[in-house]
Amino acid sequence: MARPRTTSDEAIMRATGRAVTARGPAGLTLAAVAAEAGLSPAALVQRFGSKRGLLLAFAAWAAAGAGEVFLQARRRHDSPLAALHGALAELASGLRTPEEVANGLAFLQLDLTDPEFREHAADQARRVREEITGLLADAVAARLLAGDTDPVRLARAVQVAYNGALILWAVTGGEDLADALRSDIDQLLQPHRS
């Protein structure tokens, strides 16, 4: 009879995310994730088969959960634009140093060079854009943005600005990342405000 699982897959995925942020995918080991999750490396092998299996599971989990951040932001904020700022700040909340951004970019390199990872990355990007589009459409309906604003096109621009702001912040440093994101997104939205 198999032993019952004492650590949920959710906890393991969160531990994997912390380990990827701290070490990057190349420096990540099953031992590091196991220590972060309070498991043995053998337990991870039993569940995921290999480091690649664990990272693929992590990529799928991240894509599937992309909407949850936006759902929570909608619950916390009455304004769709405040929810947008809150969700984007939350997406970047685990990044505190340029090295951590670099580790995220190393995972992106894996996403771009491996078709299985790319599928999950594309799914996550699509889900995030859909969530941003929904918030912008709500902002148009609430007359926070001009009625002729195209939420689909603007959502793409917001997503591009968000990703660019992360990289620019990592290179130039200075202000708080959440403040930098808010400033850049506000600048982008300014011409569309009612």
Side-chain angles (χ1 to χ4, degrees), residues 92-181:
S93 66
L95 302 173
R96 295 171 308 279
T97 67
E99 294 77 18
E100 290 174 341
V101 174
N103 290 335
L105 290 172
F107 202 95
L108 177 61
Q109 183 179 14
L110 184 60
D111 290 336
L112 297 175
T113 58
D114 185 305
E116 287 183 90
F117 283 94
R118 188 179 315 119
E119 183 179 325
H120 295 303
D123 184 34
Q124 183 175 9
R126 179 189 52 77
R127 288 175 191 234
V128 167
R129 187 169 315 146
E130 287 171 356
E131 294 293 340
I132 293 170
T133 300
L135 286 169
L136 294 175
D138 290 350
V140 171
R143 298 189 174 154
L144 299 170
L145 297 176
D148 63 348
T149 299
D150 180 349
V152 174
R153 289 187 67 187
L154 187 54
R156 179 179 169 81
V158 167
Q159 194 171 22
V160 168
Y162 167 80
N163 286 297
L166 288 176
I167 293 171
L168 188 60
W169 173 83
V171 170
T172 62
E175 65 186 312
D176 176 74
L177 177 55
D179 291 342
L181 286 171

Side-chain angles (χ1 to χ4, degrees), residues 25-130:
L28 181 130
T29 63
L30 290 176
V33 174
E36 190 76 35
L39 294 169
S40 70
L44 291 178
V45 170
Q46 184 178 27
R47 279 200 209 181
F48 302 101
S50 65
K51 174 180 164 178
R52 177 182 170 76
L54 174 64
L55 290 177
L56 276 169
F58 172 71
W61 172 80
E68 184 61 28
V69 169
F70 289 87
L71 179 63
Q72 293 302 321
R74 282 179 177 275
R75 288 180 180 154
R76 283 192 309 274
H77 302 280
D78 292 331
S79 161
L81 294 182
L84 175 65
H85 284 302
L88 296 178
E90 181 61 28
L91 286 174
S93 66
L95 302 173
R96 295 171 308 279
T97 67
E99 294 77 18
E100 290 174 341
V101 174
N103 290 335
L105 290 172
F107 202 95
L108 177 61
Q109 183 179 14
L110 184 60
D111 290 336
L112 297 175
T113 58
D114 185 305
E116 287 183 90
F117 283 94
R118 188 179 315 119
E119 183 179 325
H120 295 303
D123 184 34
Q124 183 175 9
R126 179 189 52 77
R127 288 175 191 234
V128 167
R129 187 169 315 146
E130 287 171 356

Side-chain angles (χ1 to χ4, degrees), residues 6-29:
T6 57
T7 304
S8 69
D9 284 348
E10 173 82 13
I12 293 170
M13 293 300 107
R14 291 190 183 285
T16 303
R18 290 189 301 272
V20 167
T21 298
R23 303 169 193 280
L28 181 130
T29 63

